[in-house]
Amino acid sequence: LKCGMRTTKCQLLVTSLFVMLLGLSIATLGTVTHYGLHFTLINNISLESNSYRVIHHAAFYFGICLSMTLILAALLSSIATVRESQCLTAVGYFCFALAFCGLLPAVCWRYTHGAEVEDSMMDVYDLVYDEVRRNTSSFRRHELTAIHEAFLCCGKNSPFGDTASVEHKTCPPGQAHGAGKDCLQEIRIFLKKHMDLVSMLLAVAIGFTVYGMILTSFLWFSIHFSSNLNRKGKYILR
């Protein structure tokens, strides 16, 4: 029992370290998603009716809460391992379980609503592009130029005829009409890379939280039975 408990403590300390790094990575990714140039630009341009704003803010706050839960679980598990405290071990297990309950819906949402994020971003670009093409707003022209510079793209394939005049005024210098990359494709590629990174982090986090739950439960039982064994054979003479 003592040998198994020692092995469990070493494994739990290493797991807690990785979980803490995962929590910091998720917090960093959430901050980049919320304050990054590409996402902030689309968020500021999008209309109130567009679902991107809700997704933009919800992803940030959910990521911060999830990262704090993972970091708290790692800290409590580490302290419980060093002190061999049943109470802290139980709280650490609860934090791991809470993080697991948050990770599962996040993974499901990523695969069921991933296209919604992509569509909402491209809808923002389509709106700005069409308004600039109709010359309805000079302010929209500056927004379209900012999108082109952020995503390093130039215009899109439009069914409304030649759009060389729009692209000539809003594309980055050096990208002539027809030579630049299609912005809808570039937005899709950029978002796919970002979502793949999110998926990888969530999958790794699920694996470590499950492993952390197993180790903390085993450590709790080890501490419990070890304390019971230490009390056996002790008598008080009166």
Side-chain angles (χ1 to χ4, degrees):
L1 182 62
K2 290 291 185 181
C3 182
M5 184 176 177
R6 192 179 299 112
T7 304
T8 303
K9 289 170 66 175
C10 293
Q11 291 177 346
L12 187 56
L13 286 174
V14 174
T15 303
S16 299
L17 176 62
F18 278 104
V19 169
M20 187 175 296
L21 292 176
L22 280 171
L24 293 174
S25 300
I26 292 175
T28 303
L29 184 62
T31 303
V32 169
T33 302
H34 191 262
Y35 295 103
L37 172 62
H38 301 80
F39 297 102
T40 304
L41 182 62
I42 297 295
N43 180 65
N44 293 336
I45 297 174
S46 62
L47 301 177
E48 293 292 340
S49 57
N50 193 297
S51 60
Y52 180 78
R53 286 195 175 188
V54 178
I55 298 173
H56 182 80
H57 293 290
F60 171 71
Y61 292 115
F62 178 81
I64 294 299
C65 292
L66 182 60
S67 64
M68 295 302 294
T69 305
L70 290 172
I71 293 173
L72 181 61
L75 289 175
L76 290 175
S77 300
S78 300
I79 298 173
T81 303
V82 174
R83 294 187 177 183
E84 296 186 3
S85 171
Q86 281 185 276
C87 181
L88 290 177
T89 304
V91 177
Y93 177 87
F94 173 77
C95 290
F96 275 120
L98 187 63
F100 178 76
C101 293
L103 285 166
L104 278 184
V107 172
C108 294
W109 189 92
R110 184 262 176 270
Y111 287 103
T112 56
H113 293 79
E116 182 180 346
V117 183
E118 181 180 306
D119 293 340
S120 62
M121 291 185 70
M122 291 191 292
D123 286 343
V124 173
Y125 181 80
D126 285 334
L127 172 68
V128 177
Y129 190 93
D130 291 340
E131 289 192 6
V132 172
R133 185 183 59 82
R134 293 194 300 265
N135 294 321
T136 57
S137 173
S138 60
F139 183 72
R140 288 296 190 185
R141 188 177 298 111
H142 295 292
E143 293 178 340
L144 186 61
T145 303
I147 294 177
H148 288 164
E149 292 176 351
F151 288 93
L152 298 178
C153 57
C154 181
K156 65 172 184 175
N157 295 325
S158 177
F160 298 104
D162 186 26
T163 57
S165 59
V166 176
E167 296 170 1
H168 177 73
K169 296 177 182 177
T170 59
C171 286
Q175 292 194 10
H177 173 63
K181 299 178 181 179
D182 185 275
C183 279
L184 295 180
Q185 293 296 329
E186 289 302 306
I187 292 174
R188 181 180 289 110
I189 293 172
F190 170 80
L191 190 60
K192 184 181 183 302
K193 292 180 180 178
H194 187 80
M195 297 300 282
D196 288 344
L197 180 59
V198 171
S199 300
M200 183 186 68
L201 273 179
L202 291 178
V204 174
I206 286 178
F208 274 99
T209 50
V210 172
Y211 192 53
M213 290 167 64
I214 296 173
L215 291 177
T216 49
S217 60
F218 187 82
L219 180 63
W220 188 91
F221 283 108
S222 299
I223 295 172
H224 177 72
F225 288 116
S226 177
S227 61
N228 287 342
L229 289 175
N230 290 335
R231 286 196 295 268
K232 287 185 177 180
K234 294 183 179 181
Y235 304 94
I236 299 176
L237 298 177
R238 296 186 179 180

